[in-house]
Amino acid sequence: MSGSTFGVAFRVTTFGESHGGAVGAVIDGCPPGLELDLEAIQVELARRRPGQSELVTQRREDDLVEVLSGVFEGRTLGTPLAMMIRNRDAKPEAYRPLADRYRPSHADFVYDAKFGRRAWAGGGRASARETAARVAAGAVARQVLHRLGPVEVLAWVDRIGDVQASVDPAQVSLEAVEAHPLVRCPDPEAATEMEARVRAARRDGDTVGGIIRCVARGVPPGLGEPVFDKLDADLAKAMVSLPAAKGVEIGSGFAGTRMSGLQHNDAFVPDDARGIGTRTNRSGGIQGGISNGMPIELAVAFKPVATVFREQDTVDRAGRATTITARGRHDPCVLPRAVPIVEAMTCLVLVDHWLRWRGQVGTAPPVPLEG
Amino acid sequence: MSGSTFGVAFRVTTFGESHGGAVGAVIDGCPPGLELDLEAIQVELARRRPGQSELVTQRREDDLVEVLSGVFEGRTLGTPLAMMIRNRDAKPEAYRPLADRYRPSHADFVYDAKFGRRAWAGGGRASARETAARVAAGAVARQVLHRLGPVEVLAWVDRIGDVQASVDPAQVSLEAVEAHPLVRCPDPEAATEMEARVRAARRDGDTVGGIIRCVARGVPPGLGEPVFDKLDADLAKAMVSLPAAKGVEIGSGFAGTRMSGLQHNDAFVPDDARGIGTRTNRSGGIQGGISNGMPIELAVAFKPVATVFREQDTVDRAGRATTITARGRHDPCVLPRAVPIVEAMTCLVLVDHWLRWRGQVGTAPPVPLEG
Amino acid sequence: MSGSTFGVAFRVTTFGESHGGAVGAVIDGCPPGLELDLEAIQVELARRRPGQSELVTQRREDDLVEVLSGVFEGRTLGTPLAMMIRNRDAKPEAYRPLADRYRPSHADFVYDAKFGRRAWAGGGRASARETAARVAAGAVARQVLHRLGPVEVLAWVDRIGDVQASVDPAQVSLEAVEAHPLVRCPDPEAATEMEARVRAARRDGDTVGGIIRCVARGVPPGLGEPVFDKLDADLAKAMVSLPAAKGVEIGSGFAGTRMSGLQHNDAFVPDDARGIGTRTNRSGGIQGGISNGMPIELAVAFKPVATVFREQDTVDRAGRATTITARGRHDPCVLPRAVPIVEAMTCLVLVDHWLRWRGQVGTAPPVPLEG
Amino acid sequence: MSGSTFGVAFRVTTFGESHGGAVGAVIDGCPPGLELDLEAIQVELARRRPGQSELVTQRREDDLVEVLSGVFEGRTLGTPLAMMIRNRDAKPEAYRPLADRYRPSHADFVYDAKFGRRAWAGGGRASARETAARVAAGAVARQVLHRLGPVEVLAWVDRIGDVQASVDPAQVSLEAVEAHPLVRCPDPEAATEMEARVRAARRDGDTVGGIIRCVARGVPPGLGEPVFDKLDADLAKAMVSLPAAKGVEIGSGFAGTRMSGLQHNDAFVPDDARGIGTRTNRSGGIQGGISNGMPIELAVAFKPVATVFREQDTVDRAGRATTITARGRHDPCVLPRAVPIVEAMTCLVLVDHWLRWRGQVGTAPPVPLEG
């Protein structure tokens, strides 16, 4: 029950440690007949890849995905689609001096506490390297989504440290986000400032955190299940399951708690495109846990990276006080590389709920409108 | 796949609509031999109950739970524990005038969109009445927790609108929370101000939102699974699955994203009680998705209640513009009654992960300390 | 993880002990909009009901089902459909003399061994009374099936002890089965002989077992999942999960193992009704774990009822040798009442797989035929 | 939801097509700290391997397993254990002439019917090659079992065609089974006859089926869940999910249905080794779905292999009558190679239920004996 599977209908199981043989994902439940675009998977992986710029970890991984099963003559079979990415630049021995000391705010201690042992090379299973498998799976999910409907899932860096961008979720585009790939912030001025902020942190051997926002446009009303498996609940789980995530908001989030009900409510209005829309979108596209056809909007808080290149107090495996100084190759700021990961998790949740909905209700669209 | 089951090892399935025959919960996987304290379940239900004060909905429900199965001679059998709470003060007909119009920021429209129909009496399945079943199940989970270890789970209202309480999570007690049951805020001054804020909203036919915080003390290190089923991820899902929840934070949350890594890291220190502790607790008791033995701390954002007693713009089922004015009995502020619900969901997550951990690793404690 | 939930998309959770307050089922994932026929549910329950004839247990239960949730204005909502059947004629005290002795070939000992305790009144959770909940859920599943396609699920008693019926699975009808409700065998001569066999056993304080066969006609090709969740694998689990079941066969079963491949293979042939059919049906309508459009045929072996009214050797809870003589009200032969239970489990499996297939592949029928 | 995951606590997901890049398994939930014996995994794979003798398919696969994750310094980490076996002797082109015609009693037609396409090279996902992944996973499960208790799982060929072996389940040993690896029957005389039977079938271009029996000794009482996830129900599913399996029996099975209750019941007796045992074992070690400490005994019916080297009637993808003659490399009898597969599935079920039981009830043994 070690929790490495996500989803109910579109089920993704990931495997792999940071410095083991490979990381990978098995997708069980992928619709058959999808013409799989491998190039598109590599594009997503390239956005997450280490070494993609001078501002991220310099570990060199080409992150080439090998499809081991589930595809025949270029199309998905409907059977498990297994993908593997070799760890080529693993350097486990670099971590041996840290094997007996717990890096602060890393998962070293808790893995020992839980399992009685851990892969001390890099973060082992807790390493962000695992997210390469999520991105590969999410890239498949995005292709499925595109067959199901005209859905667009887009994330960007909204804040780094105190540098806040100004972005209109209704207008933001992938081009704008990728115009500044070093930080993936579509506000050019803020992006420049963010870049400086990250450079300063790196220079100081320190790190910075921030916020990523994500929008999903074109999601039809009806995705999400009552009660526990609400669409926003599953999105929240998906996001908080990411390394370094410490919070999530849907729609108005924490700020909305300061409004009154009259201010906060989204009035329904006739809508040419949707049939029924809302005047405002404080609900973030989800009401009662189910999509309402408006853009889904969420934000994720990422704490600053725990690996700082300064001496820190800690304890060893015997519980004795000691100090530790980081080794290994790390990012001063995780957010630019986390943008495709947030999109991947969003795609996984949306596809899973779409297939669940289709199973229970059928594709003949339920007709909410009565004349 | 309609998503009404929560948990993997300690599985809770709830059922029931607001104005149907009953709401209830079936717990599958409860450890056997637990002397079930029915009175304690009723105490929790009383904290959530409508009509408990002048500041909440005046629907009159005694919320007496009937145990239908799973208990014999006062102890749990290990087989499904079914609990049922009759809906006694259901008044479906009061909602008929609203049957064809969508209440803004309610789930009316999305249920129609998803299922092609809905129980238009009250919120149906989307009503907060469903949470009575969660509280009953959570009260059982709390009793299981108490047998597993000296765990204490405690929530309180931390902010209503702009009225912010000042509470020390390390010191707060149930007595302090219940000293002001109208708002369940342990800061007496803030509690008085909050009460005034809620009264003002009710007088205006308006509503208010706010933040609930929760702490779990005494949780051992090791609960939570790598990757997807992280303890914080499952807590996030649990919280965002609550009606009106729009966000969740673990530990430092969104505020922590403004700190640098050096500031944010929790240094490990020898700890007499725990063996190994941390100097600060910005991680909120969870690192890498696994509890580290420090208090688990989280916060949940609740938007203002959607039912306001003013005329609002909306559309009917045919998508034509119209207006709507609320009917029914509702709370001007959901937070005081949500406190036991947040605790219930926390208990459910903790027990589930404890049993999962015990299954995989065994009760012989893994020994992280080597001498 | 106590295993009281069945199905993936159409999920049924049952609860209840033999002499507790109630037994019941919660169906999560039922398609919405189904006009629920309560009368049809009662008809199925009446076929399983104790006291329906002089040849079955004389426990008096009207087995009236109360729908607690999930239905509104006569139609399913798509939310959990909870059904409860009160235990009215529970007589727990009758079992007290047996509380400390293990009835041979009953579940008394293993429940104690597993849980450290058990509901010693009747079989507790292990009682066949639990199957009332399955029959109620199966009756709902049958109604869903009928909306999905022209599917007919029919079971009958094929053998009791050594009395073998001669039945043509292609021709057998519900009328023929119910023509002799005391044994539910559609072969009149065999039925008469079977009845005599059961009467003889009852007179001797003994019991008899036998075989039930089941056919499902009109199932389209494509139901069932590759590898583990094969349609026949899930049917096998469903059947062997029934009280007293000791074996299951699909199609040619054990007899088919004596044939050669040339004899056993089902040649494909053009078929006016199906497009593609098979000349023989040794596969029992399932190939590679997936339905092929031919009638699904299975057989279930039921051992003789364990409760015999003779003194038997056994041990007490302390492991000391003692004897035991049955008490309570029991059937000399479980098969006639098990017929609707076998049908119910078949319906549950078929609906579950139909919805799973629809979720993954969609309702637009995949086109196997190319011209 | 394509059903390639097995188990609840010890979850195995397999992937791979017969002539794709690889087959493999991901085990999620493996207990940590297990010293993994890779050699033992290869030994099991060698028992299943094609080309191991002149009587099985001559496809040449070394079936070397590569562990991709979940093991560090030779021990399991508790995180997903991924294993991959390359397909080295894949010859997809050999199947092209059959791509548009359905092989009788194979899964070709149903895969097309379900998914709209199929991997026509070999059986694709339906090929018995997938079972290599099961055997690898089962070999890990067996190692976990050995740490949990002195459990021995052993299967053998009990009948081929009409050649019935005489084997005492209480005495049979691995050595006796492997003494005749061409048929894996521990009765030497029967083994010789079986071998002749298989040779005759091969000479005729025909195939034979039969029965495999399996015993699990040393399983403690208490494994298995009430109601649906009964130990025998999960074993039945496990067995019928195997290619060519058409039936399964637990304990007395179909033969037991001819006995009366008095004859069939297993009297409890004091037992020096077990505390409580039974005089006979018609229950096959499972009562009420839960192990009772006696040897678990089951039998599986395997139909004759569908690939016969004679011309057979069939249809093409357009539904037109045609004929087909087998190609590819195939076994005249699948049973000798299926012996380790039956053991593997048994091990998977036992470990899964052991961990589930430990999670719910804890390792402190429940005390059924009261003195």
Side-chain angles (χ1 to χ4, degrees):
Chain A
M1 291 186 284
S2 77
S4 288
T5 297
F6 189 79
V8 171
F10 189 88
R11 295 175 71 77
V12 176
T13 301
T14 72
F15 60 87
E17 284 79 41
S18 179
H19 293 256
V23 297
V26 182
I27 302 174
D28 199 10
C30 185
L34 176 75
E35 199 167 343
L36 195 67
D37 184 344
L38 271 170
E39 193 49 49
I41 300 174
Q42 290 299 151
V43 167
E44 292 303 320
L45 283 166
R47 296 174 78 206
R48 195 215 71 95
R49 198 163 59 84
Q52 64 179 274
S53 84
E54 47 175 330
L55 284 193
V56 303
T57 172
Q58 294 306 301
R59 177 168 169 170
R60 277 193 294 272
E61 295 286 353
D62 51 12
D63 282 355
L64 284 177
V65 67
E66 181 187 359
V67 175
L68 298 172
S69 68
V71 176
F72 186 75
E73 299 183 323
R75 290 183 183 271
T76 56
L77 287 164
T79 50
L81 197 165
M83 295 181 286
M84 177 178 66
I85 301 166
R86 290 281 183 190
N87 293 327
R88 304 218 177 269
D89 192 19
K91 297 190 173 167
E93 286 311 308
Y95 289 87
R96 187 170 291 278
L98 308 183
D100 286 325
R101 277 173 291 172
Y102 295 130
R103 294 172 297 162
S105 289
H106 272 279
D108 301 348
F109 166 63
V110 294
Y111 269 64
D112 265 4
K114 181 181 189 71
F115 294 122
R117 73 192 54 250
R118 75 181 202 278
W120 46 254
R125 183 68 177 146
S127 164
R129 176 132 192 85
E130 178 269 338
T131 58
R134 304 193 192 205
V135 168
V140 176
R142 195 194 294 265
Q143 295 179 38
V144 176
L145 263 187
H146 287 171
R147 271 225 321 201
L148 292 168
V151 177
E152 186 186 15
V153 173
L154 187 60
W156 65 91
V157 174
D158 199 58
R159 180 158 64 68
I160 286 185
D162 288 320
V163 186
Q164 174 69 55
S166 172
V167 180
D168 178 1
Q171 301 297 332
V172 63
S173 68
L174 178 61
E175 292 65 37
V177 174
E178 292 299 321
H180 205 126
L182 269 71
V183 291
R184 289 205 167 82
C185 171
D187 170 346
E189 253 176 88
T192 306
E193 222 179 317
M194 286 173 179
E195 187 187 325
R197 185 72 194 79
V198 177
R199 285 185 196 280
R202 188 180 54 165
R203 196 179 49 230
D204 297 348
D206 206 350
T207 61
V208 281
I211 292 175
I212 289 178
R213 289 194 176 275
C214 183
V215 63
R217 302 175 187 129
V219 176
L223 301 195
E225 302 292 338
V227 182
F228 295 118
D229 294 354
K230 288 178 159 137
L231 189 63
D232 40 2
D234 276 351
L235 285 167
K237 172 169 179 165
M239 297 306 152
V240 177
S241 80
L242 293 176
K246 299 302 285 181
V248 65
E249 292 181 326
I250 311 292
S252 64
F254 280 85
T257 64
R258 296 180 185 270
M259 302 170 82
S260 84
L262 268 169
Q263 295 163 337
H264 192 274
N265 280 357
D266 294 319
F268 285 111
V269 290
D271 181 304
D272 284 348
R274 295 179 178 89
I276 292 176
T278 61
R279 192 173 289 145
T280 48
N281 186 21
R282 299 200 175 93
S283 301
I286 302 175
Q287 295 177 323
I290 300 172
S291 64
N292 69 356
M294 298 293 290
I296 292 173
E297 296 181 13
L298 58 87
V300 191
F302 289 92
K303 68 167 186 169
V305 173
T307 300
V308 292
F309 290 86
R310 301 281 195 85
E311 190 180 85
Q312 296 179 86
D313 289 341
T314 190
V315 300
D316 62 16
R317 294 193 90 205
R320 290 172 304 220
T322 182
T323 61
I324 196 166
T325 304
R327 285 163 182 265
R329 298 153 294 186
H330 288 277
D331 302 78
C333 178
V334 82
L335 281 89
R337 290 177 60 204
V339 162
I341 309 174
V342 166
E343 292 178 2
M345 295 309 298
T346 303
C347 290
L348 289 179
V349 172
L350 292 176
V351 167
D352 186 48
H353 277 278
W354 203 313
L355 301 187
R356 292 170 74 173
W357 170 81
R358 186 162 78 174
Q360 186 184 8
V361 181
T363 47
V367 184
L369 299 182
E370 295 179 353
Chain B
M1 293 186 284
S2 78
S4 289
T5 297
F6 189 79
V8 171
F10 189 89
R11 296 176 70 78
V12 176
T13 302
T14 72
F15 60 86
E17 284 79 41
S18 179
H19 293 256
V23 296
V26 182
I27 301 174
D28 199 9
C30 186
L34 177 76
E35 200 167 343
L36 196 68
D37 184 344
L38 271 170
E39 193 49 48
I41 300 175
Q42 291 298 151
V43 165
E44 292 303 320
L45 283 166
R47 297 174 77 205
R48 195 215 70 96
R49 196 163 60 83
Q52 65 179 275
S53 85
E54 47 176 329
L55 283 193
V56 304
T57 171
Q58 294 306 301
R59 177 167 169 170
R60 277 193 293 272
E61 295 287 351
D62 51 14
D63 281 354
L64 284 176
V65 68
E66 180 185 1
V67 175
L68 297 172
S69 68
V71 176
F72 186 74
E73 299 182 325
R75 289 184 183 271
T76 56
L77 286 164
T79 50
L81 198 165
M83 297 181 285
M84 178 179 67
I85 300 165
R86 290 283 185 188
N87 293 327
R88 303 218 178 270
D89 193 21
K91 296 189 173 169
E93 286 311 307
Y95 289 86
R96 187 171 291 279
L98 309 183
D100 287 325
R101 276 173 292 172
Y102 295 129
R103 293 172 299 162
S105 289
H106 273 279
D108 302 349
F109 165 63
V110 294
Y111 269 64
D112 265 5
K114 182 181 190 69
F115 295 121
R117 73 193 53 251
R118 75 182 203 276
W120 45 254
R125 183 67 178 147
S127 165
R129 176 133 192 85
E130 178 269 339
T131 59
R134 303 193 194 205
V135 168
V140 176
R142 196 193 294 266
Q143 296 179 38
V144 176
L145 262 188
H146 287 170
R147 271 224 322 198
L148 291 168
V151 178
E152 185 186 16
V153 173
L154 187 60
W156 64 91
V157 173
D158 199 59
R159 181 159 64 69
I160 286 185
D162 288 318
V163 186
Q164 174 68 55
S166 172
V167 180
D168 178 0
Q171 301 297 331
V172 63
S173 68
L174 178 61
E175 293 65 39
V177 173
E178 292 298 321
H180 205 126
L182 269 72
V183 292
R184 288 204 169 82
C185 171
D187 171 348
E189 253 177 89
T192 307
E193 222 180 317
M194 286 173 180
E195 186 187 328
R197 186 71 194 78
V198 177
R199 284 187 196 280
R202 186 178 55 166
R203 196 180 50 230
D204 296 349
D206 206 349
T207 62
V208 281
I211 293 174
I212 289 179
R213 288 195 177 274
C214 182
V215 64
R217 302 176 188 128
V219 176
L223 302 194
E225 303 291 339
V227 182
F228 295 119
D229 294 355
K230 288 179 159 135
L231 189 62
D232 41 1
D234 276 351
L235 285 167
K237 172 168 178 166
M239 297 307 151
V240 177
S241 80
L242 293 176
K246 298 302 285 182
V248 66
E249 291 181 327
I250 311 292
S252 64
F254 281 86
T257 64
R258 296 180 185 272
M259 302 170 82
S260 84
L262 269 169
Q263 294 164 336
H264 192 274
N265 279 358
D266 294 318
F268 285 111
V269 290
D271 181 304
D272 284 349
R274 294 180 179 89
I276 292 176
T278 61
R279 192 173 288 145
T280 49
N281 187 22
R282 299 202 173 92
S283 301
I286 302 176
Q287 295 177 322
I290 300 173
S291 63
N292 69 356
M294 297 295 290
I296 292 172
E297 296 181 13
L298 59 86
V300 191
F302 288 92
K303 67 167 188 169
V305 172
T307 300
V308 292
F309 290 87
R310 301 281 194 84
E311 190 180 86
Q312 297 177 86
D313 289 341
T314 190
V315 300
D316 62 15
R317 293 193 91 204
R320 289 172 304 218
T322 180
T323 62
I324 197 166
T325 304
R327 284 161 182 267
R329 299 153 295 186
H330 288 276
D331 302 79
C333 178
V334 82
L335 281 88
R337 290 176 60 202
V339 163
I341 308 173
V342 166
E343 292 178 2
M345 294 309 297
T346 303
C347 290
L348 290 179
V349 172
L350 291 177
V351 167
D352 185 48
H353 276 278
W354 203 313
L355 300 187
R356 291 171 75 172
W357 171 81
R358 187 163 78 174
Q360 187 184 6
V361 182
T363 50
V367 183
L369 299 182
E370 295 179 352
Chain C
M1 291 188 287
S2 79
S4 288
T5 297
F6 189 79
V8 171
F10 190 88
R11 295 176 72 75
V12 176
T13 302
T14 72
F15 61 85
E17 283 79 42
S18 180
H19 292 257
V23 296
V26 181
I27 303 174
D28 199 10
C30 185
L34 177 75
E35 201 166 343
L36 195 68
D37 184 344
L38 271 170
E39 194 48 49
I41 301 174
Q42 289 299 149
V43 166
E44 292 303 320
L45 284 166
R47 298 174 76 207
R48 194 214 72 94
R49 199 163 59 82
Q52 64 180 277
S53 84
E54 48 177 327
L55 282 192
V56 303
T57 172
Q58 295 306 302
R59 178 169 169 168
R60 275 193 293 274
E61 296 286 352
D62 51 13
D63 281 354
L64 283 177
V65 68
E66 179 186 0
V67 174
L68 298 172
S69 68
V71 177
F72 186 75
E73 299 182 323
R75 287 184 184 269
T76 56
L77 286 164
T79 52
L81 198 165
M83 296 182 287
M84 179 179 66
I85 301 166
R86 291 282 184 190
N87 293 327
R88 303 215 178 273
D89 193 20
K91 296 189 173 168
E93 286 312 307
Y95 288 87
R96 187 171 293 276
L98 309 182
D100 287 323
R101 277 174 291 173
Y102 295 129
R103 295 171 298 162
S105 289
H106 273 279
D108 301 348
F109 165 63
V110 294
Y111 270 63
D112 265 5
K114 181 181 189 69
F115 295 122
R117 73 193 52 252
R118 75 181 204 274
W120 46 254
R125 183 66 178 147
S127 165
R129 175 130 192 86
E130 178 270 338
T131 59
R134 303 193 194 206
V135 168
V140 175
R142 196 194 293 265
Q143 296 180 37
V144 175
L145 263 188
H146 287 171
R147 270 225 321 198
L148 291 168
V151 178
E152 186 186 15
V153 173
L154 187 60
W156 64 92
V157 173
D158 199 59
R159 179 160 63 70
I160 285 184
D162 288 318
V163 186
Q164 175 68 54
S166 171
V167 180
D168 178 359
Q171 301 297 333
V172 62
S173 70
L174 177 62
E175 292 63 38
V177 175
E178 292 298 322
H180 206 126
L182 269 73
V183 291
R184 291 206 165 80
C185 172
D187 170 347
E189 254 176 88
T192 307
E193 221 180 316
M194 286 174 182
E195 186 187 328
R197 185 70 194 81
V198 176
R199 284 185 196 281
R202 187 178 55 166
R203 195 180 49 232
D204 297 348
D206 206 349
T207 61
V208 281
I211 292 176
I212 290 179
R213 289 195 178 273
C214 183
V215 64
R217 302 176 187 128
V219 176
L223 301 195
E225 304 291 339
V227 182
F228 295 117
D229 294 354
K230 288 178 159 135
L231 189 62
D232 40 2
D234 277 350
L235 285 166
K237 171 169 178 164
M239 296 308 152
V240 177
S241 79
L242 293 176
K246 298 304 284 181
V248 66
E249 291 181 327
I250 310 292
S252 64
F254 281 85
T257 65
R258 295 179 186 271
M259 303 170 81
S260 83
L262 269 169
Q263 294 164 336
H264 192 273
N265 279 356
D266 294 318
F268 285 110
V269 290
D271 182 302
D272 284 348
R274 295 180 179 88
I276 292 176
T278 62
R279 191 174 288 145
T280 49
N281 186 22
R282 301 202 172 93
S283 301
I286 302 177
Q287 294 176 324
I290 300 172
S291 63
N292 69 356
M294 297 294 289
I296 292 171
E297 296 182 13
L298 58 88
V300 191
F302 289 92
K303 66 168 186 169
V305 173
T307 300
V308 292
F309 291 87
R310 299 280 194 85
E311 190 180 84
Q312 297 178 85
D313 289 340
T314 191
V315 299
D316 62 17
R317 293 194 90 207
R320 291 173 302 220
T322 181
T323 62
I324 196 166
T325 304
R327 285 163 181 264
R329 300 153 293 187
H330 288 276
D331 303 79
C333 178
V334 81
L335 280 88
R337 289 177 60 204
V339 163
I341 308 174
V342 166
E343 293 178 2
M345 294 310 297
T346 303
C347 290
L348 289 179
V349 171
L350 292 176
V351 166
D352 186 48
H353 277 278
W354 203 313
L355 300 187
R356 291 171 74 172
W357 171 82
R358 186 162 79 173
Q360 187 185 5
V361 182
T363 48
V367 184
L369 300 182
E370 296 179 355
Chain D
M1 290 188 289
S2 77
S4 288
T5 297
F6 189 78
V8 172
F10 189 89
R11 295 175 74 75
V12 175
T13 302
T14 72
F15 61 85
E17 282 80 41
S18 180
H19 292 256
V23 297
V26 181
I27 302 175
D28 200 10
C30 185
L34 177 76
E35 201 166 342
L36 195 68
D37 184 344
L38 271 170
E39 194 48 49
I41 301 175
Q42 290 299 150
V43 166
E44 292 303 319
L45 284 166
R47 298 174 76 207
R48 194 215 73 93
R49 200 162 58 83
Q52 63 179 276
S53 85
E54 48 177 327
L55 283 192
V56 303
T57 170
Q58 294 306 301
R59 177 168 170 170
R60 276 193 294 273
E61 296 285 351
D62 51 14
D63 281 355
L64 284 176
V65 69
E66 180 186 0
V67 174
L68 298 172
S69 68
V71 176
F72 186 74
E73 298 183 323
R75 288 184 183 270
T76 56
L77 287 164
T79 50
L81 199 165
M83 296 181 286
M84 179 178 67
I85 300 166
R86 290 284 182 187
N87 293 326
R88 302 215 179 271
D89 193 22
K91 296 190 174 167
E93 285 311 308
Y95 289 87
R96 187 172 294 277
L98 310 182
D100 287 324
R101 278 173 290 174
Y102 295 129
R103 294 172 298 162
S105 289
H106 273 280
D108 302 348
F109 165 62
V110 294
Y111 270 63
D112 265 4
K114 181 181 189 69
F115 295 121
R117 73 192 52 250
R118 76 183 203 276
W120 45 255
R125 183 67 179 148
S127 165
R129 176 130 191 87
E130 178 270 337
T131 59
R134 304 193 193 207
V135 168
V140 176
R142 195 194 294 265
Q143 296 179 38
V144 175
L145 262 187
H146 287 171
R147 272 224 322 197
L148 291 168
V151 178
E152 186 186 16
V153 173
L154 188 60
W156 64 93
V157 173
D158 200 60
R159 180 160 62 71
I160 285 184
D162 288 318
V163 186
Q164 174 70 53
S166 172
V167 180
D168 178 359
Q171 301 297 332
V172 62
S173 68
L174 178 61
E175 292 63 38
V177 174
E178 293 299 322
H180 206 125
L182 269 72
V183 291
R184 291 207 165 78
C185 172
D187 171 346
E189 252 177 90
T192 307
E193 220 179 318
M194 286 174 181
E195 187 188 326
R197 185 72 193 79
V198 177
R199 284 185 196 280
R202 189 179 54 165
R203 196 180 47 232
D204 297 348
D206 205 349
T207 62
V208 280
I211 293 176
I212 289 179
R213 289 196 176 272
C214 183
V215 65
R217 304 176 186 128
V219 177
L223 301 195
E225 303 291 339
V227 181
F228 295 118
D229 294 355
K230 288 178 159 136
L231 189 62
D232 41 2
D234 277 350
L235 285 167
K237 171 168 177 164
M239 297 308 152
V240 177
S241 79
L242 293 176
K246 298 304 284 183
V248 66
E249 291 181 326
I250 312 292
S252 64
F254 280 85
T257 65
R258 296 180 185 272
M259 303 169 83
S260 84
L262 268 168
Q263 296 164 334
H264 193 273
N265 280 355
D266 294 319
F268 286 109
V269 290
D271 182 302
D272 284 347
R274 294 180 179 89
I276 293 176
T278 62
R279 191 173 289 146
T280 48
N281 186 22
R282 299 200 175 94
S283 301
I286 302 176
Q287 294 177 323
I290 300 173
S291 63
N292 68 356
M294 298 295 288
I296 293 172
E297 296 181 13
L298 58 87
V300 190
F302 288 92
K303 66 167 188 169
V305 173
T307 300
V308 292
F309 291 86
R310 299 281 195 85
E311 189 179 86
Q312 296 177 86
D313 289 341
T314 190
V315 300
D316 62 15
R317 295 194 88 205
R320 291 172 302 220
T322 180
T323 62
I324 196 167
T325 304
R327 285 164 182 263
R329 300 153 293 186
H330 287 277
D331 301 79
C333 177
V334 82
L335 280 88
R337 290 177 60 203
V339 162
I341 308 174
V342 166
E343 293 178 2
M345 293 311 296
T346 303
C347 290
L348 289 179
V349 171
L350 291 176
V351 167
D352 186 47
H353 276 279
W354 203 313
L355 301 187
R356 291 171 74 172
W357 170 81
R358 185 162 80 172
Q360 187 185 5
V361 181
T363 48
V367 184
L369 299 183
E370 295 179 354

